[in-house]
Amino acid sequence: MAKHEEVKNGVIFPVGEKNEAYAQFFVGQSYLKSLIADPKVSVGVGNVTFEPGCRNNWHIHRDGFQFLLVTGGEGWYQEEGKPAQFLKAGDVIVTHDGVKHWHGAAKDSWFEHIAITAGTPEWLEPVSDEVYENATN
């Protein structure tokens, strides 16, 4: 049994549906509940839930930024060329414009964060198993 199983039912906000729209940019299964998707507001807000071991591809936010507000479980965040950061509920990450990074669940834990995003994401290559293993050990 994975740690933080309660996260799969949502911590603060509902888990949402399987993240089919962005599945090609993830290794493993994620879920997305859009919280703010107003075309008159240039910032999107979503609750993203990751099954154990799930992570998104390397990506860059162009002409914007991303804030991650960790609400449950355990996960990882890594910027290119830097060591990975272990994440738990209450942690906050600020990703600046143009910074290549990835984030996702720990191998043995569900993980959930609120993503507040402005700009356009540029999706890149998947995080290899080797990079993930090195980051999470």
Side-chain angles (χ1 to χ4, degrees):
M1 179 182 273
K3 294 192 296 189
H4 302 286
E5 287 275 335
E6 71 280 2
V7 170
K8 70 182 174 186
N9 298 316
V11 177
I12 298 170
F13 297 101
V15 168
E17 301 299 320
K18 285 186 176 182
N19 192 2
E20 301 296 346
Y22 294 93
Q24 64 192 3
F25 306 120
F26 284 73
V27 173
Q29 184 63 59
S30 67
Y31 303 83
L32 176 63
K33 172 65 175 168
S34 186
L35 302 175
I36 299 174
D38 184 332
K40 295 179 183 176
V41 177
S42 62
V43 175
V45 180
N47 185 41
V48 185
T49 306
F50 300 77
E51 289 187 355
C54 177
R55 70 260 188 193
N56 54 30
N57 288 9
W58 288 101
H59 59 288
I60 298 169
H61 298 281
R62 300 285 185 197
D63 300 318
F65 56 82
Q66 186 172 59
F67 304 145
L68 303 177
L69 310 176
V70 180
T71 56
E74 297 175 357
W76 294 94
Y77 170 86
Q78 185 174 24
E79 293 181 0
E80 185 176 46
K82 295 184 179 179
Q85 295 175 287
F86 178 73
L87 301 176
K88 63 188 181 326
D91 288 339
V92 175
I93 294 290
V94 176
T95 305
H96 295 278
D97 184 36
V99 175
K100 185 176 178 181
H101 68 287
W102 67 271
H103 35 103
K107 291 182 276 192
D108 61 349
S109 178
W110 284 78
F111 179 61
E112 188 171 75
H113 63 56
I114 304 298
I116 302 168
T117 309
T120 305
E122 177 185 344
W123 292 100
L124 304 167
E125 72 276 8
V127 175
S128 69
D129 290 341
E130 180 181 0
V131 167
Y132 181 74
E133 290 295 326
N134 287 338
T136 62
N137 286 329

